[in-house]
């Protein structure tokens, strides 16, 4: 099993953290670490954002991709990326962002 770090940017709304953790726990993954960081608001939107970083052990890379896809389907998730090997550049994040 390999440990991976998944970072998500989410819209601050009630229940978002619960939905994220339930998405991870439902297929049987254990969250080893979890951090939540306020990321402020956007100049062109009234929404406020947070960054949720999860440390999770996976059997293979396919499981990582599947979980990231499931996280991105959540309505309040802007993006989900694997940052184990470093942060993606800003252009890659903008390509994944809906805002």
């Amino acid at each position: 099993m390999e440990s991976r770090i998944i970072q998500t940017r989410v819209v601050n709304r009630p229940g978002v953290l619960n939905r994220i953790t339930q998405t991870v726990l439902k297929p049987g993954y254990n969250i080893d670490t979890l951090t939540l960081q306020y990321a402020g608001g956007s100049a062109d939107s009234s929404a406020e954002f947070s960054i949720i970083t999860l440390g999770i052990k996976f059997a293979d890379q396919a499981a990582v991709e599947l979980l990231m896809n499931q996280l991105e389907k959540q309505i309040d998730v802007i993006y989900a990326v694997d940052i184990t090997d470093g942060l993606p550049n800003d252009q890659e994040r903008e390509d994944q962002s809906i805002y």
Side-chain angles (χ1 to χ4, degrees), residues 4-9 51-54 58 61 64-65 67-69 71-72 77-89 92-97:
R4 306 301 292 179
I5 300 170
I6 308 296
Q7 183 181 75
T8 62
R9 181 179 175 126
I51 304 292
I52 299 173
T53 307
L54 305 159
F58 292 96
Q61 186 62 31
V64 177
E65 296 294 329
L67 180 63
M68 287 193 312
N69 288 336
L71 287 169
E72 288 183 337
V77 173
I78 308 304
Y79 64 77
V81 293
D82 183 352
I83 63 167
T84 305
D85 300 324
L87 288 169
N89 64 37
E92 289 175 358
R93 274 202 250 171
E94 286 176 12
D95 291 345
Q96 296 171 348
S97 178

Side-chain angles (χ1 to χ4, degrees), residues 22-87:
Q22 289 304 311
T23 301
V24 173
L25 296 174
K26 188 169 185 174
Y29 299 118
N30 186 40
I31 298 173
D32 295 326
T33 62
L34 185 145
T35 60
L36 177 69
Q37 175 184 356
Y38 178 70
S42 174
D44 59 344
S45 173
S46 63
E48 294 185 344
F49 303 99
S50 289
I51 304 292
I52 299 173
T53 307
L54 305 159
I56 306 167
K57 289 186 178 139
F58 292 96
D60 56 26
Q61 186 62 31
V64 177
E65 296 294 329
L66 179 62
L67 180 63
M68 287 193 312
N69 288 336
Q70 290 172 338
L71 287 169
E72 288 183 337
K73 289 179 184 178
Q74 298 294 316
I75 192 154
D76 292 322
V77 173
I78 308 304
Y79 64 77
V81 293
D82 183 352
I83 63 167
T84 305
D85 300 324
L87 288 169

